């Protein structure tokens, strides 16, 4: 299993590096056309990201829980839920039981947060808690603990912050440009001729397309992590049907999570927005629910290689992990 986690981590690092290149390219263009110095633009872009990253790393989990209006509970508040979290913590090998939070919301969803396995939390909506039986609840909690174990929560936090930095910089720059900000740049520094005009067009296209490309990269990172968390849940519970049944119930709901937004959407077990039409599924941070259920129900066992085999059969030869024959028994 650890080989699979390392393999996906390498892929994710490559994708995050792509987002970093987009961010720096955006800063370079802004410095070139607005500040007469591309390196100042690089410094501004890097500083915005660094500030957001620091806030996210040290307070991101508290901010997310606060925005979600999540309430921390203990064993006495919900003995069964606490017991399930405890069981899955032991099965996964985590050193510490994650804190448990409940959101008073009729929507069916859950998420995990925290910068490390030692400082993590699992959160479930009251609607999902009241809908699932014990096996299904175990599958959902195992999925979220899989995210914690695989360090997905920190990775998704980093990509979300980088995406946010790109969106913020692009948004303000295009507004400044629209209101005549480009006119502040001296004619001499602009240069003359078709070369300067082409560079300006390229810069404008980058400002418009950078957030879109960054979002697509964010989708790619998030989807890979969801598949691995599903596989981890099957391994921890030894019962893939539990998560499959839970996902079916979640997929049948059309109630959106009230506190969710585009920045927090990748953290949830499924897309937290209500409508899930074909186009929305394709543009979603998560794989289609029906696809995830089909893979789980096609498994002949509960190991990572069993999940890989099921995924390959379901997707006509396509692989989700780099090394399907890796040892995955715990």
């Amino acid at each position: 299993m650890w080989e699979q986690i390392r393999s996906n981590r390498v892929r994710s690092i490559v994708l995050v590096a792509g987002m970093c290149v987009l961010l720096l390219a955006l800063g370079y263009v802004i410095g070139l056309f607005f500040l007469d110095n591309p390196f100042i633009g690089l410094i501004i872009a890097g500083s915005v990201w660094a500030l957001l990253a620091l806030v996210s790393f040290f307070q991101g989990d508290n901010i997310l829980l606060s925005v979600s209006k999540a309430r921390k509970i203990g064993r006495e508040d919900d003995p069964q839920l606490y017991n399930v979290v405890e069981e899955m913590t032991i099965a996964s090998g985590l050193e510490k039981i994650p804190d448990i939070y409940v959101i008073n919301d009729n929507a069916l969803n859950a998420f995990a947060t925290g910068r490390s396995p030692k400082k993590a939390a699992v959160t479930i909506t009251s609607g999902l808690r009241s809908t699932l039986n014990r096996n299904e609840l175990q599958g959902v909690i195992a999925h979220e603990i899989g995210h914690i174990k695989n360090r997905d929560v920190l990775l998704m936090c980093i990509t979300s912050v980088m995406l946010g930095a790109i969106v913020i910089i692009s948004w303000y720059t295009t507004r400044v440009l629209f209101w005549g900000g480009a006119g502040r740049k001296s004619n001499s520094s602009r240069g003359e001729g078709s070369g300067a005009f082409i560079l300006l067009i390229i810069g404008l296209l980058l400002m418009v397309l950078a957030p879109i490309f960054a979002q697509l990269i964010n989708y790619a990172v998030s989807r890979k992590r969801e598949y691995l968390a599903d596989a981890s849940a099957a391994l921890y519970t030894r019962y893939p049907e539990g998560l499959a049944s839970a996902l079916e119930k979640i997929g049948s709901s059309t109630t959106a999570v009230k506190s969710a937004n585009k920045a927090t959407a990748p953290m949830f077990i499924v897309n937290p927005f209500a409508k899930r039409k074909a186009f929305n599924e394709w543009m979603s941070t998560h794989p289609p629910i029906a696809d995830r259920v089909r893979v789980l129900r096609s498994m002949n066992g509960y190991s990572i290689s069993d999940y890989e085999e099921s995924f390959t059969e379901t997707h006509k030869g396509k692989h989700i992990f780099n090394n399907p024959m890796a040892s995955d028994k715990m």
Side-chain angles (χ1 to χ4, degrees):
M1 180 176 180
W2 293 111
E3 290 186 32
Q4 307 299 346
I5 295 173
R6 283 193 294 269
S7 172
N8 264 19
R9 190 171 293 167
V10 170
R11 289 184 180 185
S12 298
I13 289 173
V14 171
L15 291 172
V16 170
M19 292 184 77
C20 185
V21 169
L22 275 177
L23 177 63
L24 294 177
L26 187 60
Y28 186 91
V29 167
I30 291 170
L32 183 65
F33 288 104
F34 290 87
L35 304 171
D36 292 333
N37 189 329
F39 297 105
I40 294 179
L42 289 174
I43 293 173
I44 291 175
S47 298
V48 170
W49 178 80
L51 177 62
L52 292 176
L54 285 172
V55 172
S56 180
F57 183 79
F58 290 106
Q59 291 296 326
D61 52 349
N62 293 330
I63 292 173
L64 178 58
L65 292 169
S66 177
V67 168
S68 302
K69 299 179 181 179
R71 174 178 60 88
K72 187 176 180 179
I73 66 169
R75 185 191 297 270
E76 64 282 358
D77 298 306
D78 192 333
Q80 186 183 69
L81 176 58
Y82 191 94
N83 182 248
V84 167
V85 174
E86 195 173 37
E87 287 178 352
M88 292 302 96
T89 299
I90 295 171
S92 67
L94 283 181
E95 300 176 29
K96 177 183 176 296
I97 298 175
D99 293 331
I100 305 170
Y101 287 80
V102 173
I103 301 173
N104 186 23
D105 193 318
N106 291 328
L108 309 185
N109 228 310
F111 66 83
T113 187
R115 63 175 180 263
S116 72
K118 292 183 179 180
K119 190 180 185 303
V122 292
T123 305
I124 186 171
T125 61
S126 57
L128 185 60
R129 176 67 186 94
S130 62
T131 300
L132 304 182
N133 62 38
R134 197 182 192 284
N135 287 333
E136 294 163 344
L137 178 64
Q138 194 177 56
V140 169
I141 295 301
H143 174 98
E144 298 308 330
I145 286 182
H147 277 308
I148 296 171
K149 180 74 172 181
N150 302 337
R151 302 297 181 99
D152 294 341
V153 285
L154 178 59
L155 174 67
M156 295 313 302
C157 183
I158 291 172
T159 55
S160 295
V161 166
M162 198 170 292
L163 172 62
I166 291 173
V167 170
I168 289 170
I169 293 172
S170 296
W171 191 88
Y172 278 105
T173 304
T174 52
R175 294 309 181 275
V176 170
L177 182 64
F178 179 78
W179 292 106
R184 298 173 189 172
K185 196 174 188 303
S186 64
N187 290 329
S188 60
S189 62
R190 259 184 224 175
E192 297 179 356
S194 59
F197 179 74
I198 291 174
L199 284 176
L200 178 60
I201 295 300
I202 292 174
L204 291 174
L205 285 174
L206 182 62
M207 281 184 271
V208 173
L209 296 178
I212 298 174
F213 289 148
Q215 184 70 75
L216 291 175
I217 292 172
N218 198 32
Y219 291 160
V221 173
S222 180
R223 287 186 173 214
K224 292 253 181 221
R225 311 314 292 188
E226 289 304 316
Y227 281 123
L228 182 55
D230 284 353
S232 298
L235 179 62
Y236 300 157
T237 62
R238 271 62 171 176
Y239 187 62
E241 175 59 28
L243 178 58
S245 179
L247 288 173
E248 276 190 331
K249 287 185 177 180
I250 295 171
S252 66
S253 173
T254 57
T255 304
V257 178
K258 297 174 184 177
S259 59
N261 55 55
K262 289 184 178 180
T264 61
M267 307 298 291
F268 289 86
I269 190 171
V270 300
N271 190 337
F273 305 118
K275 296 181 180 179
R276 299 188 181 93
K277 295 181 181 179
F279 178 76
N280 288 336
E281 290 280 19
W282 180 73
M283 289 294 291
S284 173
T285 53
H286 297 68
I289 292 177
D291 179 56
R292 295 166 65 183
V293 170
R294 188 163 57 249
V295 173
L296 286 165
R297 286 206 167 127
S298 298
M299 293 178 68
N300 294 318
Y302 51 76
S303 69
I304 298 294
S305 57
D306 288 323
Y307 187 91
E308 167 70 18
E309 182 180 350
S310 176
F311 185 94
T312 301
E313 291 177 358
T314 303
H315 292 83
K316 300 179 181 179
K318 188 182 297 184
H319 293 283
I320 189 62
F321 304 130
N322 278 349
N323 185 8
M325 299 308 294
S327 173
D328 48 22
K329 300 294 184 181
M330 295 188 68

